């Protein structure tokens, strides 16, 4: 059981299955993630700094391929994780949804309320939103907390 009394579930690899609420909580605890989208018909993965705003991911981008994917409303994946290399613990999650361009009026309001600052210099930065439609995550827990093999 977890601290809230819920029974924990594990997958076949004995990784703890995270609830959508726990995935969103963890997503908000890290500053970097990977946007997975299609560029010229092939998969592309870009590291972005981001913030979580309710059940959406917001990041800043220039007028390049990520922005064009948002203009089209592409379905994308977003992956984030955190790993303790010394203790061999950590979690990973994947969110899937549609990208959209944040309007200029809403972007001004979001910039006042969210701690979102691009880590890269860019001309004419625009805000992009990923509306999370599904999210799945797994956690590698300490050996003593893992279920035994079946």
């Amino acid at each position: 059981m977890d601290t809230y009394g819920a029974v924990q579930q594990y997958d076949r690899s004995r990784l703890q299955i995270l609830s959508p609420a726990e995935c969103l909580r963890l997503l908000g605890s890290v500053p970097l993630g990977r946007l997975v989208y299609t560029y010229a018909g092939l998969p592309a993965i870009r590291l972005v700094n981001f913030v979580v705003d309710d059940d959406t991911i917001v990041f800043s981008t220039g007028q390049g391929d990520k922005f064009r994917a948002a203009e089209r409303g592409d379905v994308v994946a977003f992956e984030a994780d955190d790993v303790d290399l010394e203790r061999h613990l950590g979690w990973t999650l994947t969110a899937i949804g549609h990208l959209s361009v944040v309007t200029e009026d809403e972007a001004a309001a979001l910039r006042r309320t969210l701690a979102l600052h691009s880590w890269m210099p860019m001309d004419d930065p625009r805000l992009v939103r990923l509306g999370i439609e599904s999210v799945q995550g797994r956690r590698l827990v300490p050996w003593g907390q893992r279920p035994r093999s079946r």
Side-chain angles (χ1 to χ4, degrees), residues 22-71:
E22 179 69 355
C23 287
L24 288 176
R25 185 189 72 74
L26 290 169
L27 187 59
S29 72
V30 293
L32 293 173
R34 286 165 288 286
L35 180 69
V36 183
Y37 62 103
T38 303
Y39 175 68
L42 297 171
I45 302 171
R46 299 292 183 267
L47 192 64
V48 296
N49 66 297
F50 69 98
V51 295
V52 176
D53 182 32
D54 292 325
D55 60 351
T56 68
I57 296 166
V58 180
F59 61 92
S60 185
T61 190
Q63 297 290 324
D65 49 334
K66 294 186 297 282
F67 184 74
R68 285 189 291 280
E71 286 181 311

Side-chain angles (χ1 to χ4, degrees), residues 3-143:
T3 55
Y4 302 106
V7 175
Q8 295 300 311
Q9 294 183 335
Y10 294 84
D11 67 11
R12 295 173 69 126
S13 299
R14 293 183 276 164
L15 297 175
Q16 181 184 26
I17 299 170
L18 301 174
S19 70
E22 179 69 355
C23 287
L24 288 176
R25 185 189 72 74
L26 290 169
L27 187 59
S29 72
V30 293
L32 293 173
R34 286 165 288 286
L35 180 69
V36 183
Y37 62 103
T38 303
Y39 175 68
L42 297 171
I45 302 171
R46 299 292 183 267
L47 192 64
V48 296
N49 66 297
F50 69 98
V51 295
V52 176
D53 182 32
D54 292 325
D55 60 351
T56 68
I57 296 166
V58 180
F59 61 92
S60 185
T61 190
Q63 297 290 324
D65 49 334
K66 294 186 297 282
F67 184 74
R68 285 189 291 280
E71 286 181 311
R72 292 188 304 264
D74 288 1
V75 174
V76 300
F78 191 88
E79 195 267 346
D81 51 51
D82 190 29
V83 177
D84 182 330
L85 296 175
E86 290 183 18
R87 299 188 310 153
H88 300 179
L89 304 175
W91 56 265
T92 184
L93 64 85
T94 303
I96 297 173
H98 288 83
L99 285 182
S100 62
V101 176
V102 177
T103 66
E104 287 299 323
D105 290 339
E106 186 182 6
L110 287 174
R111 285 189 173 100
R112 287 191 299 273
T113 60
L114 298 178
L116 177 62
H117 306 285
S118 177
W119 291 12
M120 300 179 37
M122 62 179 80
D123 297 325
D124 192 27
R126 298 292 304 272
L127 293 186
V128 169
R129 170 177 280 128
L130 169 57
I132 300 172
E133 298 167 24
S134 70
V135 62
Q136 295 182 357
R138 300 290 188 267
R139 177 183 284 132
L140 184 60
V141 297
W143 282 101

